Amino acid sequence: MRKRLIAGNWKMNMLRGEAGELARGVVERTGGLAEKIDIILAPPFTALDAVGDELRGSRVMLAAQNVFWEERGAFTGEISPGMLADAGCSWVIIGHSERRHILRETDEMVRMKIGASLKAGLRVIVCVGETLGERAEGHTIKAVDAQVVKALTGIDIDDPGDLVIAYEPIWAIGTGHHATPAEAEFVQSAIREIAGNILGDLAARIRIVYGGSVNEENIRDLLAEPDIDGALVGGASLKAESMASIVETAGEQ
Ligand code: PGA
């Protein structure tokens, strides 16, 4: 059975003091469940050490929200996979739609980031999802298929636990409009099939999580679907109470 995973993507929020406090609140409320499910916090780069200090001694894991594909050199402003590992990260989020759309990150950049991160021993959450326009035109699967194929082709994974695909329909991110469980399941089962064409049997064992306006109210029904193995949570991860409530629901089963 696939271990459930709940990751909090704090985006560009939280100064170091607030970040430490939030992390402490999450660990206090959910630390006991961290053996049963994977709990991950992704603060901004500047708060990685403050959050890492709070996570020490717990099984809650630290993630970065982005990475560069080279290990070192003249790449002003970038952070390498080895630097993230050195800062205490075991995970990294790659290809979030905000990076693809606002920062113009391409599928090829996403693929290089995944390869470099896995090689450095980081575990990866790669995000895919369709725009509102693609959805309106009935092109959801086509859009997601292209992203998954381009992200995973040529990628070497040994342990299926190291790769997580987050299905995040762009129209559902930060809007309060989440995909229905049936809509998310339809796309996520398609993603598993697409991943299977590339990764073979491993695809049945990688986790596919849903993201986009996940909260305490909708998480239970989302997790009831067979191909929804957890959630990537934005807004609701910024409060210890709501993050803990989501984790607790994921821990029931
Ligand atoms: P949201 O963000 O939960 O605030 O919609 C999710 C995400 O962007 O990962």
Side-chain angles (χ1 to χ4, degrees), residues 10 21-31 39 41 55 60 237 239-241 243-244 247:
W10 295 0
E21 206 172 305
L22 176 56
R24 198 173 325 130
V26 173
V27 170
E28 278 167 8
R29 289 171 174 81
T30 66
I39 307 171
L41 301 182
L55 302 190
V60 177
S237 73
K239 289 216 169 68
E241 296 75 21
M243 179 67 176
V247 168

Side-chain angles (χ1 to χ4, degrees), residues 9 11 96 168 172-174 212-214 232-235:
N9 173 13
K11 309 193 180 184
H96 190 280
E168 297 207 309
I173 294 177
S213 298
V214 170
L232 180 55
V233 186

Side-chain angles (χ1 to χ4, degrees), residues 7-11 93 96-98 127 166 168-178 210-215 231-238:
N9 173 13
W10 295 0
K11 309 193 180 184
I93 298 171
H96 190 280
S97 63
E98 286 149 15
C127 305
E168 297 207 309
I170 294 164
W171 48 270
I173 294 177
T175 58
H177 302 294
H178 66 96
Y210 169 79
S213 298
V214 170
N215 58 34
L232 180 55
V233 186
S237 73
L238 294 175

Side-chain angles (χ1 to χ4, degrees), residues 186-199:
F186 177 74
V187 181
Q188 296 194 193
S189 62
I191 290 176
R192 198 174 298 286
E193 221 176 285
I194 296 159
N197 295 334
I198 304 163
L199 304 173

Side-chain angles (χ1 to χ4, degrees), residues 10 14 18 30 45-48 67 80 93 99 111 134 144 150 154 156 160 163 209 217 219 230-231 236 240 245-246:
W10 295 0
M14 300 286 156
E18 308 168 281
T30 66
F45 288 133
T46 47
L48 283 173
V67 67
S80 74
I93 298 171
R99 296 209 57 83
R111 198 183 62 78
E134 286 163 338
V144 167
K150 287 182 191 146
D156 219 3
L163 180 74
V209 302
E217 272 91 56
I219 185 69
S245 157
I246 291 167

Side-chain angles (χ1 to χ4, degrees), residues 27-63:
V27 170
E28 278 167 8
R29 289 171 174 81
T30 66
L33 286 167
E35 207 152 329
K36 195 167 174 198
I37 58 179
D38 283 347
I39 307 171
I40 301 167
L41 301 182
F45 288 133
T46 47
L48 283 173
D49 67 335
V51 171
D53 284 346
E54 298 296 336
L55 302 190
R56 201 157 300 127
S58 81
R59 297 177 68 127
V60 177
M61 296 177 281
L62 188 63

